[in-house]
Amino acid sequence: MGIVNVTPDSFSDGGSYLDPEAAIAHGLELAEAGAAVIDVGGESTRPGADPVDADEELRRVLAVVRGVAGQTAVAVSIDTTKAVVARAALDAGAVMVNDVSGGTADPDMLALVAQTGSAYVAMHTRGTPRTMQSEARYASVVREVGDELRSRVERALAAGVDPRALLADPGIGFAKTGEHNLALLRALPDLAARVGVPLMVGTSRKSFLAHLMAAATDADDDRRGRDDATLATTVWCFERGATLVRVHDVAGSRRAVDLLDALERATPEGMAA
Ligand code: PMM
């Protein structure tokens, strides 16, 4: 899943794609680079971010969803917690709703997804982007995130969301410390078993990667370093059963994943040849 943030304040690409034409061109570039889904978002979810009202969110995303969906066969997803934004985006050509609140922010969201038959990503978080980091307290992060995510999945299924089009996401960086993030990444197979639906994971350029880089290399914490660390976590996630990863650098991720596939298929004879 390639990311198009149409926001002034997302932490890694905020402000780069506020102009709809630039955002559409970027989405098409990610499709060309091999993304399976293009995720368009108009509200930053970085820790402490201020909420955006539905009118402003629609003003940012709608032309971009329409433009990308109209010019590529690659699926478009709308990254929103609001049912009105999701509905308009689905009407404009999106086929998936990526909801970082997992259906807890808007009481109308799950019914809308069920009624439209769209695909749905239920992500785990606690509180809102403003409050979530104060809620990063767990006795056992894998068990608690697994249980809370499972209950979001069950609510989605009970509302009539299509079970074949439902993904769950542990919400790396959402109400989690760096250590929580690493614990969840290490336990992905266990988490997948607890949640019972395919997993999507988003580590791309997130701040906990700086600590991982510092522990593993003497590289500076810059964009390149975070993209390298994202590739390592992307391969890690696919190796441990994730179905979809959400990334900024689609071309690099695509190459890494194609190499992983080649490695898995390779025979000793094939490698020698
Ligand atoms: N992360 C961000 C935004 N939306 N959606 C899902 N499902 N999973 C994530 O991990 C996720 C998300 C924040 O990252 P960004 O500001 O770089 O887009």
Side-chain angles (χ1 to χ4, degrees):
M1 174 184 272
I3 304 169
V4 181
N5 282 323
V6 195
T7 58
D9 54 348
S10 287
F11 59 77
S12 103
D13 55 357
S16 305
Y17 306 112
L18 258 184
D19 167 42
E21 291 308 314
I24 293 167
H26 185 57
L28 296 174
E29 213 178 298
L30 299 180
E32 186 70 19
V37 184
I38 305 296
D39 191 39
V40 179
E43 177 172 32
S44 171
T45 49
R46 74 182 156 72
D50 285 325
V52 170
D53 68 30
D55 286 345
E56 173 60 17
E57 205 178 322
L58 282 168
R59 201 186 57 72
R60 292 179 186 173
V61 297
L62 216 46
V64 178
V65 168
R66 193 174 291 116
V68 176
Q71 293 175 71
T72 172
V74 174
V76 174
S77 151
I78 177 71
D79 184 347
T80 189
T81 61
K82 300 184 187 75
V84 283
V85 174
R87 174 181 290 280
L90 293 169
D91 286 345
V95 294
M96 174 184 265
V97 178
N98 173 24
D99 179 357
V100 300
S101 85
T104 62
D106 186 332
D108 297 331
M109 181 63 102
L110 295 176
L112 169 79
V113 172
Q115 180 211 327
T116 54
S118 71
Y120 186 64
V121 179
M123 199 194 79
H124 176 271
T125 189
R126 288 176 173 176
T128 65
R130 263 195 170 292
T131 64
M132 63 189 181
Q133 286 319 100
S134 66
E135 306 207 33
R137 285 191 297 266
Y138 303 88
S140 163
V141 67
V142 176
R143 183 175 49 74
E144 288 169 60
V145 169
D147 288 351
E148 289 167 31
L149 204 44
R150 178 69 209 165
S151 83
R152 283 166 205 191
V153 162
E154 277 166 5
R155 280 188 59 227
L157 293 171
V161 172
D162 183 350
R164 295 160 308 174
L166 178 58
L167 291 154
D169 181 334
I172 297 298
F174 287 80
K176 323 272 178 333
T177 63
E179 276 164 22
H180 295 143
N181 295 330
L182 293 176
L184 288 164
L185 289 178
R186 275 198 296 270
L188 278 187
D190 180 14
L191 199 64
R194 287 173 186 274
V195 174
V197 297
L199 287 187
M200 162 169 149
V201 186
T203 61
S204 194
R205 296 183 186 162
K206 288 185 178 170
S207 56
F208 80 103
L209 296 175
H211 306 295
L212 197 61
M213 289 291 288
T217 74
D218 55 8
D220 288 336
D221 178 29
D222 57 11
R223 169 69 63 83
R224 172 73 207 275
R226 293 240 187 146
D227 277 340
D228 288 349
T230 303
L231 289 182
T233 56
T234 293
V235 170
W236 173 279
C237 289
F238 279 129
E239 264 295 280
R240 279 156 187 79
T243 297
L244 197 61
V245 296
R246 182 178 179 278
V247 295
H248 299 87
D249 172 23
V250 169
S253 298
R254 183 79 254 174
R255 272 195 303 278
V257 170
D258 288 346
L259 285 163
L260 184 64
D261 278 347
L263 260 175
E264 275 167 355
R265 282 195 315 270
T267 60
E269 299 74 35
M271 287 301 244

